[in-house]
Amino acid sequence: MSDTADKTDILSLMPGELKAWMEENGQKPFRAKQVYEWLHVHHAGSFDDMTNLPKALRQTLSDSFRIASLHAEEVLTSLIDGTRKYLFSLEDGHVIESVLMRYSYGLTACISSQAGCRMGCRFCASTIDGKARDLRAGEMIAQVVKMSEDAGERIGHVVIMGSGEPLDNYDNLVRFLRIMGDPDGECLSLRDITVSTCGIVPKIRSLAGEGLPVTLALSLHAPTQEKRERLMPIAKKYRLPDVLDAMKEYYERTGRRITFEYSCVEGENTSPEDAKLLADLVQGMNCHINLIPVNHVSERNYRRPDQAKIEAFRRKLEKRGISVTIRREMGRDINGACGQLRRSYISAGKAPASADADGES
Ligand code: SAH
């Protein structure tokens, strides 16, 4: 490992922490603001770029800190809609996936919160090798910044729907959100960020109290406890009524409409009866349901229902007055399901595998 490995990742630090460091190191506090601006407004890649700092301070900073950097090992671009899928390597050799999509309202970045995942959802490729490690806030920020630089354009929306369970990496997630939403930092509207969770109840409740008005999406995927457990082992630990209560609390405390993600899996969750149960379940909630035709994962047997069945499922929900969309498939031609590009890299021995596949402890 390089000699930078034991230095603190400065991209993950909050303004107050930088200020405290300056004071402890005999520097003027306003230097913290300058450094923060270099990092999060100008996206400086090295301390030498920070030209309004004294040379000696630049040296001290580079002796103490490193700036998290990601390396794009592969970039796949869709010929259909320009969607780009990135395989980034981290400084310790682990790899993660991120995706950049263009919608009518601008660019959306889909980022990873962990290398791998330990939640074990049956149809998801990201979890097959377990979790390698949590990502630091700086590594989450760097995904957005790298893709924005590559596109030569500002990214207006961020969804934390790549590999990993963001609420299983809570402190780093909250740090990431604070820096992303900081008008003196990355300056993205928190309303334009979506955090997607499989339903870690205590952390949903904590997030509701952080004063961060992000959209929270729950991976629901089934209308009953029994069916949900079949697709998502974590559902055994956090039961459906408790998860829904926590989501209601999130709505009440933040005023943010809730999103439910619902991966449509043939033979599992898209019958007319499922539609009825789902409508009953969310009745009266201010929510939106996003239907995701399941992406085929080569290690798994799950298949998507045909389009007519998914449409019928949607119509049934709409008849009950529920707001529903079927997720438009982006980058169909480069669309190994999330996590498959990473897996192929690990299988080829080009990146370390993970150790922790045993579900949340
Ligand atoms: N851990 C977070 C983020 C996961 S990825 C969560 O569970 O929400 C974002 C969404 O994609 C989740 O709803 C996840 O269940 C879903 N997903 C994962 N693999 C999929 C696949 N092969 N097909 C369709 N949706 C999938």
Side-chain angles (χ1 to χ4, degrees):
M1 222 174 268
S2 72
D3 65 351
T4 56
D6 49 2
K7 295 180 188 172
T8 304
D9 158 29
I10 196 168
L11 265 191
S12 298
L13 294 189
M14 306 283 292
E17 292 168 326
L18 274 176
K19 204 164 153 220
W21 185 89
M22 292 293 172
E23 282 164 359
E24 278 160 26
N25 287 273
Q27 302 287 337
K28 302 250 168 29
F30 77 90
R31 296 290 182 201
K33 196 167 181 337
Q34 286 179 314
V35 170
Y36 189 73
E37 192 174 304
W38 275 112
L39 294 171
H40 296 292
V41 179
H42 307 301
H43 301 128
S46 87
F47 295 106
D48 277 338
D49 294 344
M50 304 183 180
T51 46
N52 57 355
L53 302 185
K55 253 199 150 134
L57 174 56
R58 281 186 251 162
Q59 188 57 50
T60 316
L61 284 168
S62 77
D63 290 342
S64 311
F65 296 108
R66 65 185 205 285
I67 304 175
S69 75
L70 303 177
H71 179 70
E73 299 290 340
E74 278 191 49
V75 185
L76 305 176
T77 304
S78 164
L79 297 174
I80 299 173
D81 55 33
T83 294
R84 285 186 168 206
K85 185 173 263 197
Y86 294 78
L87 186 80
F88 286 121
S89 57
L90 307 171
E91 286 157 315
D92 58 3
H94 286 296
V95 288
I96 53 170
E97 283 181 25
S98 321
V99 185
L100 188 62
M101 295 162 286
R102 183 176 296 284
Y103 291 100
S104 55
Y105 46 79
L107 290 177
T108 295
C110 172
I111 64 162
S112 293
S113 55
Q114 297 174 321
C117 184
R118 59 179 181 146
M119 296 296 125
C121 298
R122 302 275 184 238
F123 47 80
C124 179
S126 302
T127 203
I128 293 174
D129 292 311
K131 182 182 91 170
R133 70 166 171 86
D134 291 332
L135 299 191
R136 293 185 301 274
E139 292 170 321
M140 292 188 241
I141 294 166
Q143 293 173 64
V144 181
V145 171
K146 274 271 177 191
M147 290 194 285
S148 170
E149 282 173 357
D150 192 40
E153 212 177 308
R154 185 183 152 75
I155 289 173
H157 293 75
V158 173
V159 297
I160 307 171
M161 293 189 182
S163 293
E165 168 50 47
L167 297 189
D168 184 41
N169 185 15
Y170 187 82
D171 293 346
N172 289 319
L173 172 76
V174 168
R175 205 171 255 277
F176 165 77
L177 294 174
R178 292 203 192 288
I179 297 172
M180 284 311 287
D182 183 355
D184 297 326
E186 300 292 336
C187 197
L188 191 70
S189 165
L190 288 167
R191 295 185 154 67
D192 294 329
I193 300 182
T194 298
V195 174
S196 177
T197 178
C198 61
I200 315 275
V201 169
K203 301 296 182 190
I204 294 174
R205 295 194 192 278
S206 304
L207 191 64
E210 296 283 358
L212 294 165
V214 295
T215 298
L216 188 59
L218 174 77
S219 294
L220 183 59
H221 301 328
T224 64
Q225 172 65 21
E226 186 209 340
K227 286 197 173 194
R228 195 160 185 265
E229 276 183 19
R230 284 226 305 262
L231 294 170
M232 306 175 71
I234 193 70
K236 293 184 189 128
K237 178 159 183 184
Y238 300 113
R239 297 179 63 79
L240 192 49
D242 301 331
V243 176
L244 289 178
D245 270 358
M247 292 303 284
K248 281 179 196 157
E249 179 180 337
Y250 190 83
Y251 171 68
E252 277 154 20
R253 294 186 69 184
T254 63
R256 303 293 297 151
R257 183 174 77 157
I258 287 160
T259 297
F260 292 116
E261 291 161 280
Y262 197 95
S263 296
C264 300
V265 185
E266 177 57 32
E268 294 284 338
N269 61 4
T270 4
S271 70
E273 172 69 4
D274 291 323
K276 183 188 173 302
L277 290 169
L278 178 58
D280 291 345
L281 194 68
V282 304
Q283 197 66 52
M285 289 178 77
N286 189 349
C287 67
H288 175 81
I289 298 182
N290 200 0
L291 302 175
I292 316 170
V294 77
N295 281 309
H296 182 62
V297 171
S298 49
E299 295 82 355
R300 301 283 187 257
N301 265 332
Y302 297 109
R303 301 268 166 201
R304 58 177 61 180
D306 63 36
Q307 194 61 23
K309 191 165 176 185
I310 299 175
E311 294 283 355
F313 192 79
R314 173 176 67 177
R315 277 196 304 275
K316 264 192 164 305
L317 296 172
E318 278 173 345
K319 273 200 185 133
R320 295 278 300 268
I322 297 164
S323 155
V324 194
T325 43
I326 300 174
R327 181 179 292 174
R328 186 151 66 90
E329 207 169 356
M330 302 294 282
R332 195 155 20 93
D333 49 339
I334 55 166
N335 201 11
C338 310
Q340 294 247 302
L341 183 57
R342 173 174 184 270
R343 289 216 73 228
S344 66
Y345 217 71
I346 292 171
S347 307
K350 294 193 211 162
S354 351
D356 178 14
D358 54 359
E360 206 213 19
S361 48

